[in-house]
C-alpha cells in the first residue's frame, strides 16, 4: 500500500473528515485554505505567520498520559490564531496499514523486535513522515503535530536530525505522569470502552490497561536530551520543564499556551442572559424583567438537576459514589447577565464578572430596522453580505474583533479546572462555542442558541462533545433570538446546524413560533464517542 493511499484512508477516518455539523467538533476536518481563521490578524503569501518558518511538534509519552488531548487542544488554539496546523496521528497510519480488524505483532514496540515487526514499524513511520513533509512543503503547512509514543532518546535524536535535514525546526513535548490517580482517570475516560474490558469494573479495567502498556512498551526513556528543544508537562500541567525553547516567537507562543493547559476532566456550559426590562439595547444596562427573573430561576434548577443526574449516572457506571466537580459561574458585566447568575450565587456558587465578555457593539445600526439600514448604508450592507464575519458597520465591532477581544477568556477557560457556566449575550456564546467546537469563521455569525436551552461542552481526548439541555416551563414568547442585534440577515449559504433561532437578523417571525411550541422537551446530540469508536484501544 503506497503512501498516498494510506493517507487517503487516514483522511477518510472518523477523526479526519470534512465538516458535516456544527454540533460535531471540527478539529480534524479538512480545512478551507482560502479563508482566514477566526482570530487571525493578517495573512501572508506563503500562508505562514509570525516569521517562524516550519515547526514539527513531536509528542512524547506512554499511552494514557493525555498526549492526544494535548495535541488536539494545541492544534485548536493554533488554528484559531490562523497558524496552519495539522495533526498526524501515527495510530491512523498503523490502522490503515494493517487493515480493518488487523493487529500489530506483540513485539511491535520492543527495541529488540523481530525483523517482521521492525519492517512493519519502519513502513508505517515512513508513510506518516512522508505525509508530514508533503504537507509542510507542498501545502504551505506551518506546524505539524506528530502524535506518537517516541519512547527512546536515540529515536528522538534521529528524528530531530531528520527534520533538520528538511529545514524543519523540532519541538518535543512530553506528557509525563506518575500520579496514579491521573493515570487511572485517563485510562477510565478514554481507553476502557474497548470490548476487551466490557462489563469489567472501571477501576480494575484501568489497572489492567496500564499493566498492558508496561507489557507492550517495556522501555520508555523520559526526555533528558540537553541538545534538543523540549517541554515536559508533568502530571497534567502541575509542573513544567523547558529546555532550549527559544528559536522563534511562535515557539514562545506555544509554550505560553501550554502553561495554561491541563488535561483534567471538566465541563463548560453556555447559557444566554435573561431578557431585560423595557427595550433592550447595547447602550442601556437595564435589569432583568419579571420574565427574566423567572428564567434565571428555572435555568438554575435545570442546570443543577442535570448535574446531579450526571453524577448519579457516573456513580452507577463506576460502582462507587462520584462527587461533583465544583462549578464556577462567569458572566459579562452587563446587569442582566449578573442578575441571571443571582440564583446560583444565593446557593453559594462563585460568580465572576468578565468585562471582555460584553456583547458585540452594533454601532450606529442599533435599533434601526433592516429597511432603514439598507436605505442608509447600502454599501455597508453589500460588504456585510459578502463577509458577515469580518465586516463591521460604522462605529461597530465585527465578529473578528470580538474573537480577538475574547482571547484572554479562551486562555482562562483552558486554565480553569472547575466546571464553568458562562452567562452572556448570544454573540459572545457564538465565538466561545466556535472555539471549542472548531467552527469555520463564516459559520459563527449564524450559530443559533435558543434561550430555553443550555449547551454543554465536554472536552474529550480526540474531539469535544456537545449536548443540548432543554429548560422546561418557559414562555416561548421570549425564547427567540436577541432583538438588540443588528437586524441584517446573514446569507443563507452560511447557515449551520445549531438550534434554529435568529441571531443577527430580525426577530423571529410568527410563522416560526410553531417550531418553538412543538419542540421536544429534551434534545441531546453526542456524536463524538461513536465517531472515535475504533480508537478506544489505541496504544499510540
Amino acid at each position: 500500500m503506497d503512501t498516498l493511499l494510506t493517507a487517503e484512508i487516514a483522511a477518510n477516518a472518523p477523526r479526519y473528515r470534512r465538516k458535516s455539523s456544527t454540533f460535531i467538533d471540527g478539529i480534524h476536518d479538512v480545512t478551507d485554505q482560502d479563508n482566514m481563521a477566526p482570530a487571525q490578524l493578517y495573512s501572508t503569501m506563503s500562508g505562514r505567520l509570525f516569521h517562524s518558518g516550519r515547526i514539527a511538534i513531536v509528542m512524547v509519552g506512554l499511552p494514557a498520559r493525555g498526549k492526544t488531548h494535548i495535541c488536539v487542544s494545541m492544534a485548536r488554539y493554533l488554528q484559531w490564531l490562523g497558524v496552519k496546523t495539522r495533526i498526524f496521528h501515527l495510530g491512523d497510519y498503523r490502522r490503515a496499514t494493517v487493515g480493518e480488524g488487523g493487529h500489530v505483532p506483540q513485539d511491535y514496540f520492543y527495541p529488540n523486535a523481530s525483523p517482521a515487526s521492525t519492517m512493519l514499524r519502519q513502513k508505517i513511520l515512513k508513510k506518516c513522515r512522508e505525509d508530514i513533509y508533503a504537507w509542510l512543503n507542498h501545502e504551505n503547512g506551518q506546524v505539524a503535530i506528530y502524535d506518537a509514543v517516541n519512547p527512546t532518546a536515540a529515536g528522538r535524536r534521529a528524528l530531530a536530525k531528520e527534520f533538520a535535514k528538511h529545514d524543519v525546526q523540532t519541538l518535543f513535548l512530553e506528557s509525563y505522569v506518575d500520579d496514579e490517580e491521573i493515570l487511572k482517570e485517563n485510562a477510565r475516560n478514554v481507553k476502557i470502552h474497548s470490548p476487551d474490558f466490557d462489563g469489567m469494573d472501571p477501576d480494575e479495567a484501568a489497572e489492567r490497561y496500564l499493566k498492558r502498556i508496561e507489557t507492550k512498551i517495556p522501555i520508555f526513556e523520559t526526555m533528558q536530551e540537553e541538545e534538543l528543544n523540549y517541554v515536559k508537562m508533568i502530571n497534567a500541567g502541575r509542573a513544567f520543564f523547558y529546555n532550549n525553547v527559544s528559536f522563534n516567537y511562535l515557539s514562545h507562543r506555544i509554550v505560553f499556551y501550554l502553561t495554561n493547559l491541563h488535561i483534567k476532566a471538566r465541563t463548560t456550559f453556555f447559557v444566554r442572559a435573561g431578557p431585560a426590562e423595557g427595550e433592550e439595547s447595547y447602550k442601556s444596562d437595564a435589569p432583568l424583567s419579571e420574565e427574566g427573573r423567572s428564567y434565571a430561576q428555572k435555568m438554575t434548577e435545570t442546570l443543577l438537576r442535570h448535574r446531579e443526574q450526571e453524577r448519579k449516572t457516573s456513580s452507577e457506571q463506576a460502582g462507587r459514589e462520584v462527587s461533583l466537580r465544583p462549578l464556577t459561574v462567569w458572566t459579562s458585566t452587563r446587569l442582566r447577565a449578573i442578575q441571571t447568575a443571582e440564583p446560583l450565587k444565593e446557593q453559594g456558587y462563585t460568580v465572576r464578572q468578565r468585562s471582555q465578555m460584553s456583547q458585540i457593539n452594533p454601532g450606529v445600526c442599533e435599533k434601526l430596522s433592516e429597511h432603514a439600514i439598507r436605505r442608509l448604508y447600502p454599501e455597508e450592507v453589500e460588504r456585510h453580505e459578502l463577509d458577515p464575519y469580518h465586516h463591521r458597520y460604522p462605529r461597530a465591532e465585527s465578529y473578528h474583533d470580538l474573537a480577538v477581544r475574547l482571547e484572554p477568556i479562551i486562555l482562562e477557560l483552558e486554565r480553569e479546572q472547575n466546571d464553568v457556566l458562562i452567562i452572556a449575550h448570544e454573540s459572545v456564546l457564538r465565538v466561545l462555542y466556535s472555539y471549542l467546537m472548531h467552527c469555520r469563521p463564516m459559520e459563527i455569525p449564524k450559530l443559533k442558541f435558543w434561550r430555553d436551552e443550555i449547551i454543554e461542552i465536554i472536552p474529550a481526548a480526540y474531539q469535544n462533545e456537545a449536548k443540548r439541555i432543554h429548560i422546561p416551563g418557559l414562555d416561548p414568547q421570549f425564547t427567540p433570538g436577541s432583538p438588540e442585534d443588528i437586524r441584517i440577515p446573514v446569507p443563507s449559504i452560511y447557515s449551520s446546524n445549531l438550534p434554529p433561532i435568529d441571531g443577527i437578523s430580525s426577530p423571529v417571525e410568527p410563522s416560526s413560533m410553531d417550531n418553538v411550541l412543538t419542540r421536544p422537551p429534551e434534545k441531546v446530540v453526542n456524536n463524538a464517542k461513536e465517531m472515535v469508536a475504533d480508537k478506544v484501544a489505541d496504544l499510540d
Side-chain angles (χ1 to χ4, degrees), residues 247-310:
F247 46 85
N248 56 43
Y249 170 79
L250 186 54
S251 68
H252 287 286
R253 192 77 180 252
I254 291 168
V255 171
F256 173 68
Y257 172 75
L258 290 172
T259 60
N260 290 278
L261 181 66
H262 68 85
I263 58 174
K264 296 179 181 178
R266 85 278 196 192
T267 298
T268 302
F269 299 95
F270 292 140
V271 69
R272 288 173 54 191
E277 288 181 352
E279 185 179 8
E280 297 177 347
S281 72
Y282 175 80
K283 294 178 182 178
S284 67
D285 193 15
L288 284 180
S289 63
E290 188 63 36
E291 293 85 357
R293 287 189 286 273
S294 174
Y295 163 79
Q297 189 62 45
K298 291 175 180 177
M299 180 276 294
T300 298
E301 293 170 357
T302 301
L303 176 66
L304 298 183
R305 183 168 58 248
H306 171 76
R307 279 170 48 84
E308 179 59 23
Q309 289 173 349
E310 292 288 289

Side-chain angles (χ1 to χ4, degrees), residues 478-497:
F478 74 88
T479 59
S482 304
E484 69 270 28
D485 271 350
I486 302 171
R487 300 179 181 184
I488 288 292
V490 176
S492 60
I493 58 172
Y494 300 126
S495 62
S496 59
N497 295 317

Side-chain angles (χ1 to χ4, degrees), residues 11 48 170 304 327 382 429:
R48 301 187 181 110
T170 308
L304 298 183
L327 175 69
E382 185 177 345
L429 300 186

Side-chain angles (χ1 to χ4, degrees), residues 13-294:
R15 280 197 284 134
Y16 192 64
R17 65 192 190 287
R18 295 194 177 275
K19 190 76 171 180
S20 58
S21 169
T22 51
F23 247 126
I24 300 174
D25 187 357
I27 189 59
H28 291 96
D29 288 346
V30 177
T31 57
D32 186 349
Q33 300 294 333
D34 296 330
N35 291 329
M36 292 181 67
Q40 185 172 339
L41 296 177
Y42 68 98
S43 60
T44 63
M45 290 293 292
S46 68
R48 301 187 181 110
L49 303 180
F50 307 118
H51 306 285
S52 295
R54 301 174 301 172
I55 301 173
I57 299 178
V58 180
M59 303 302 298
V60 177
L62 291 168
R65 268 66 177 177
K67 296 192 309 301
T68 299
H69 192 145
I70 293 168
C71 70
V72 166
S73 297
M74 188 162 45
R76 187 185 311 282
Y77 178 68
L78 292 174
Q79 290 183 20
W80 178 260
L81 296 178
V83 178
K84 289 187 176 179
T85 307
R86 182 171 294 181
I87 308 170
F88 295 84
H89 299 282
L90 187 61
D92 286 343
Y93 288 84
R94 189 187 68 245
R95 279 182 291 275
T97 302
V98 302
E100 186 176 353
H103 298 281
V104 297
Q106 178 68 27
D107 64 347
Y108 178 79
F109 290 100
Y110 288 11
N112 58 345
S114 65
S117 295
T118 301
M119 288 182 62
L120 175 63
R121 187 168 63 207
Q122 293 302 320
K123 180 181 179 182
I124 293 169
L125 290 172
K126 182 173 180 291
K127 291 173 181 176
C128 181
R129 291 174 190 174
E130 284 177 351
D131 278 359
I132 291 176
Y133 299 137
W135 181 72
L136 289 172
N137 294 329
H138 304 304
E139 297 184 44
N140 291 332
Q142 185 164 13
V143 176
I145 302 178
Y146 178 39
D147 182 21
V149 174
N150 296 306
T152 65
R156 295 190 291 263
R157 289 189 174 100
L159 186 58
K161 290 180 180 178
E162 181 184 336
F163 279 126
K165 289 179 182 177
H166 289 81
D167 195 26
V168 177
Q169 300 166 102
T170 308
L171 172 63
F172 291 89
L173 174 55
E174 179 181 356
S175 179
Y176 178 84
V177 180
D178 59 6
D179 186 307
E180 291 297 325
E181 287 303 314
I182 296 176
L183 286 174
K184 289 181 180 179
E185 183 68 19
N186 288 346
R188 281 194 295 262
N189 289 342
V190 181
K191 306 295 184 181
I192 63 171
H193 298 288
S194 167
D196 295 348
F197 306 110
D198 189 33
M200 190 179 298
D201 175 76
D203 289 332
E204 181 183 354
E207 290 180 5
R208 288 198 181 187
Y209 177 77
L210 294 173
K211 288 180 180 178
R212 177 188 291 185
I213 292 172
E214 295 176 1
T215 302
K216 288 197 170 186
I217 311 177
I219 294 179
F220 178 83
E221 299 169 352
T222 188
M223 290 213 67
Q224 296 178 326
E225 300 91 313
E226 293 183 357
E227 74 277 16
L228 298 183
N229 308 306
Y230 70 86
V231 177
K232 184 183 291 188
M233 180 184 288
I234 301 170
N235 288 328
R238 195 174 297 164
F240 286 87
F241 181 81
Y242 313 103
N243 188 69
N244 290 339
V245 185
S246 59
F247 46 85
N248 56 43
Y249 170 79
L250 186 54
S251 68
H252 287 286
R253 192 77 180 252
I254 291 168
V255 171
F256 173 68
Y257 172 75
L258 290 172
T259 60
N260 290 278
L261 181 66
H262 68 85
I263 58 174
K264 296 179 181 178
R266 85 278 196 192
T267 298
T268 302
F269 299 95
F270 292 140
V271 69
R272 288 173 54 191
E277 288 181 352
E279 185 179 8
E280 297 177 347
S281 72
Y282 175 80
K283 294 178 182 178
S284 67
D285 193 15
L288 284 180
S289 63
E290 188 63 36
E291 293 85 357
R293 287 189 286 273
S294 174

